[in-house]
Amino acid sequence: MRILIIGGTGTISSAITRQLAASGHDLWLLNRGNRKDEVPANVKQIIADIDDTDNVLRQIGDTTFDAVCEFIGFVPAQVERDIRLFKGRTRQYVYISSASAYNKPAASHVITEGTTLANPYWEYSRNKIACEELLLREYRENGFPITIVRPSHTYCERGVPVSVHGPKGSWQVLKRMMEGKQVLLNGDGSSLWTLTWNEDFARGFIGLLGNPKAIGEAFQIMSDEQLTWNQIYQCVANALGVELRPYYVASEFLAATSPKEWDFTGNLLGDKSVCVEFDCSKLKRAVPGFKCTTRFDEGVRRCVEHILAHPELQVEDPEFDAWCDRVIDAQEKARLALI
C-alpha cells in the first residue's frame, strides 16, 4: 500500500512508521523534519508545514494514496484543511482522536466505541469530538472514506507514564523516587487505568489500513491489561530499584492548586482520575488475531533503561518539584491542625 502519515515520529506514530517501513509498504511522512534522522531510509519524507497547502501539493503532485493518517490534527480547521487536500486523493483517511473524548463520567465504567462523547473538563477532548463530528458528517454526506481511532494512554521508551507530572515530562517524578522523596498520586491510587506500549498499538492500527471493515467506523486501540495507579507507580519504582513513597492527594485539590497552564483539570478530572475499562472486541473482530503482548512492568523497564542511558531525556523540572513539596507540606499542616 502507498500510505501517507501526517506526523510519523511521535510516541504513537514512530512505531507505526517503523513497522510499515519494515513490511515494505510505500510509506511517506509529512512533517517539519524535526526528527528526520530517526526515520527509516526507505521512507519518503515531505518536509513542510502542512498549513502551506500550495507547497504540500507541489511536493505530492498527482500522487494518490491508499491511506492518509492524521496524527497531529487537533482542531476542526485542521481536519477541514485535510479534506480539501486529500478528497479524491485517498481511499481511506484515518483520524487519530482520543479516548479522553468519552463522557465524563460515563454511564458505565466499561467503555466501547458506542459510549457517548462528552468531556466538560478538557478543551483538548472537546476539540477532538468536534473533529470526529465533522468527519462523520463528511462521510455521510459526501462519502469521504474516514476511519476514527481513539487511543488511550500510549507510551514508548522516551517517557515513563505517570499521572501527576509537570510540563517538562515525567523525569522529575523519577528523580524524586530515586532521591527517596514522596511522589504525588491522585486520589487514593486505586482507580483503574490502561497503558499501551506503542509497538502493540501499531499492530492494531496497521490492521485497519486498507481494511474495508474500517471505513466509516471508529475503533479504540489499547491493551487489555488494567492496573491501578498504585500498581503503575510500584512498577516504576521496581524498574528504578527504589522504594515507592506515595503521597495521596485528591484530584480536585491538585487541579485547583496547580498552575492553570499545567491543565490538571483536563488531564486528571477529564481523564486519568476516572476509573475505566476499555472493551476492544470491535477492533479484534476487524483485525483478527490482534493482541497486546507487552505487560506494563516489562514496558516500563525498557523505558527506564532507555532514559537512564540517554541524559538528553532527563529533563529536570524544578518548578514542579517545588510545587510537589508545597502541596505535601500544606496538606500535612492541614491534617495536623485538625488532630
Side-chain angles (χ1 to χ4, degrees), residues 22 35 113 227 257 269 314:
R35 290 178 173 165
E113 288 82 356
L227 297 170
T257 58
L269 302 183
Q314 300 168 21

Side-chain angles (χ1 to χ4, degrees), residues 284-295:
K284 293 172 183 177
R285 288 193 298 271
V287 185
F290 169 73
K291 183 179 181 181
C292 290
T293 59
T294 306
R295 293 200 320 258

Side-chain angles (χ1 to χ4, degrees), residues 5-186:
I5 295 180
I6 304 170
T9 59
T11 296
I12 297 178
S13 58
S14 59
I16 296 168
T17 293
R18 290 192 298 269
Q19 290 184 23
L20 286 172
S23 299
H25 291 284
D26 183 8
L27 180 60
W28 300 44
L29 300 191
L30 170 55
N31 56 43
R32 295 177 183 270
N34 294 331
R35 290 178 173 165
K36 61 183 179 180
D37 294 338
E38 301 176 16
V39 176
N42 62 331
V43 174
K44 299 179 178 67
Q45 296 191 70
I46 301 172
I47 297 176
D49 179 349
I50 192 173
D51 287 322
D52 185 354
T53 55
D54 290 338
N55 181 28
V56 171
L57 288 173
R58 277 195 300 271
Q59 296 198 57
I60 292 176
D62 59 359
T63 306
T64 59
F65 299 93
D66 295 295
V68 171
C69 309
E70 172 59 274
F71 281 86
I72 52 175
F74 302 104
V75 296
Q78 294 168 325
V79 171
E80 290 171 345
R81 172 206 62 208
D82 287 356
I83 294 170
R84 292 193 302 270
L85 274 171
F86 299 112
K87 181 178 288 188
R89 289 175 171 268
T90 185
R91 294 176 179 173
Q92 184 182 25
Y93 175 87
V94 185
Y95 177 69
I96 310 304
S97 184
S98 171
S100 70
Y102 289 121
N103 197 21
K104 301 295 184 301
S108 169
H109 74 284
V110 179
I111 305 298
T112 72
E113 288 82 356
T115 299
T116 301
L117 303 182
N119 191 327
Y121 299 101
W122 207 357
E123 184 180 13
Y124 163 82
S125 305
R126 293 194 295 274
N127 283 332
K128 287 289 190 180
I129 294 168
C131 290
E132 286 198 28
E133 290 174 343
L134 189 161
L135 286 167
L136 287 168
R137 185 166 60 249
E138 188 68 21
Y139 169 69
R140 288 192 297 264
E141 296 178 1
N142 299 307
F144 189 59
I146 63 123
T147 298
I148 293 167
V149 173
R150 299 181 188 132
S152 184
H153 198 157
T154 307
Y155 68 106
C156 69
E157 72 279 358
R158 293 197 293 249
V160 171
V162 295
S163 59
V164 183
H165 64 80
K168 296 182 179 180
S170 61
W171 170 251
Q172 195 66 46
V173 179
L174 273 63
K175 189 169 184 287
R176 288 182 68 90
M177 287 186 183
M178 291 186 291
E179 292 173 347
K181 293 182 177 180
Q182 292 175 298
V183 292
L184 300 182
L185 261 72
N186 52 295

